[in-house]
Amino acid sequence: MSSSYGRYNSQSYAPSAPELPPPSNHTPPSNSYTQTSPPSSNYNNYPSYGYPPPSSYVSSSSGYSNFPPGTNPDVIRSFQMVDRDRSGFIDDTELQQALSSSFHNFNLRTIRLLIFLFKHPNESLRIGPKEFTELWSCLGHWRGIFERYDKDRSGKIDPLELRDALYGIGYAVPASVLQLLLSKYSDGSSRRVELGFDSFVECGMIIKGLTDKFKVKDRRYSGSATLSYDEFMSMVIPFLVSYD
């Protein structure tokens, strides 16, 4: 199994969003899988989403001891509001409610994929305070990327904007793969597929997740890797399973 994704430094996949690159007018190439150098970060371009900057975050005495120190109090309140049974965990419908009040009206398929990626390996499809905080931060980064590449400010990402967004964060996905990915979100009509924020996050997490997992196996960063059948299936299936 091989790919020409380039020679990034590799690390194990962890649910996250790539760093947002600085503005550029560079046109993406048509035949490479991933850029040959990682995008540089520019955190000043991230919107604050109505919350104070990280330096002004304060610890909370909410009673939820598993939140990381310095967690934004608004994040803690969002968790508490939907954790009605005070179990310290939230399920898919509770997470959907929490995120819909701040980010976007996420569909349950995307919600369940996010829970699967962020949950503790020994947990069922639910997340606790630590995972919720990590997921919230991840979505904030994806929102910054979404807004950067939604050039027409339509609130949707069209195929060209998706191509540019993925390239801008380091993944020059072949047109054939991009078309296959977009077909997942088609309603069966002849209309051009446009992605809302939740579907954009889902696409991004699939591309980033599979690429990062592949790079773990490509220890020489050559664009090629040897995988057993079990390794291949374990790598791919979690991103293909329908969580509806």
Side-chain angles (χ1 to χ4, degrees), residues 149-166:
Y149 290 96
D150 179 20
K151 300 294 179 60
D152 59 3
R153 296 294 180 263
S154 66
K156 299 283 186 178
I157 292 289
D158 65 30
L160 290 180
E161 291 170 336
L162 178 62
R163 181 202 64 182
D164 291 347
L166 291 174

Side-chain angles (χ1 to χ4, degrees), residues 149-239:
Y149 290 96
D150 179 20
K151 300 294 179 60
D152 59 3
R153 296 294 180 263
S154 66
K156 299 283 186 178
I157 292 289
D158 65 30
L160 290 180
E161 291 170 336
L162 178 62
R163 181 202 64 182
D164 291 347
L166 291 174
Y167 177 79
I169 58 178
Y171 306 102
V173 181
S176 58
V177 174
L178 195 60
Q179 184 176 5
L180 183 62
L181 187 60
L182 284 168
S183 68
K184 177 183 177 73
Y185 305 97
S186 173
D187 60 5
S189 69
S190 58
R191 292 181 300 179
R192 181 179 63 173
V193 176
E194 294 183 316
L195 305 180
F197 179 57
D198 54 346
S199 296
F200 174 73
V201 169
E202 187 176 340
C203 281
M205 295 296 275
I206 289 172
I207 293 295
K208 180 181 185 297
L210 288 175
T211 301
D212 288 356
K213 282 181 174 291
F214 184 89
K215 287 191 288 186
V216 170
K217 298 297 181 181
D218 180 15
R219 295 181 177 86
R220 297 182 178 180
Y221 316 135
S222 64
S224 299
T226 300
L227 303 173
S228 70
Y229 179 72
D230 287 350
E231 288 173 329
F232 172 75
M233 296 298 282
S234 297
M235 177 189 298
V236 174
I237 291 299
F239 293 94

Side-chain angles (χ1 to χ4, degrees), residues 31-238:
N31 59 356
S32 63
Y33 185 45
T34 306
Q35 289 176 225
T36 55
S37 61
S40 60
S41 62
N42 188 347
Y43 288 103
N44 292 329
N45 289 325
Y46 287 132
S48 63
Y49 312 105
Y51 300 134
S55 61
S56 66
Y57 285 3
V58 296
S59 297
S60 170
S61 57
S62 64
Y64 282 80
S65 59
N66 290 329
F67 278 101
T71 297
N72 187 332
D74 288 326
V75 175
I76 296 175
R77 281 193 290 270
S78 293
F79 186 94
Q80 290 175 322
M81 286 176 62
V82 297
D83 180 23
R84 294 187 177 87
D85 61 1
R86 293 295 183 263
S87 65
F89 291 91
I90 58 175
D91 60 20
D92 51 359
T93 56
E94 291 169 330
L95 178 60
Q96 184 184 43
Q97 181 181 354
L99 296 182
S100 295
S101 64
S102 299
F103 282 100
H104 179 80
N105 187 20
F106 278 72
N107 66 64
L108 277 175
R109 183 189 65 238
T110 304
I111 289 289
R112 288 165 182 163
L113 174 62
L114 290 172
I115 290 180
F116 179 83
L117 294 176
F118 278 87
K119 74 180 183 69
H120 188 278
N122 296 330
E123 279 292 339
S124 56
L125 284 178
R126 62 179 191 167
I127 58 174
K130 178 177 181 294
E131 296 80 23
F132 180 76
T133 304
E134 292 170 348
L135 191 157
W136 190 283
S137 176
C138 175
L139 291 179
H141 284 207
W142 280 115
R143 173 61 78 178
I145 296 167
F146 183 91
E147 293 184 351
R148 165 75 67 83
Y149 290 96
D150 179 20
K151 300 294 179 60
D152 59 3
R153 296 294 180 263
S154 66
K156 299 283 186 178
I157 292 289
D158 65 30
L160 290 180
E161 291 170 336
L162 178 62
R163 181 202 64 182
D164 291 347
L166 291 174
Y167 177 79
I169 58 178
Y171 306 102
V173 181
S176 58
V177 174
L178 195 60
Q179 184 176 5
L180 183 62
L181 187 60
L182 284 168
S183 68
K184 177 183 177 73
Y185 305 97
S186 173
D187 60 5
S189 69
S190 58
R191 292 181 300 179
R192 181 179 63 173
V193 176
E194 294 183 316
L195 305 180
F197 179 57
D198 54 346
S199 296
F200 174 73
V201 169
E202 187 176 340
C203 281
M205 295 296 275
I206 289 172
I207 293 295
K208 180 181 185 297
L210 288 175
T211 301
D212 288 356
K213 282 181 174 291
F214 184 89
K215 287 191 288 186
V216 170
K217 298 297 181 181
D218 180 15
R219 295 181 177 86
R220 297 182 178 180
Y221 316 135
S222 64
S224 299
T226 300
L227 303 173
S228 70
Y229 179 72
D230 287 350
E231 288 173 329
F232 172 75
M233 296 298 282
S234 297
M235 177 189 298
V236 174
I237 291 299

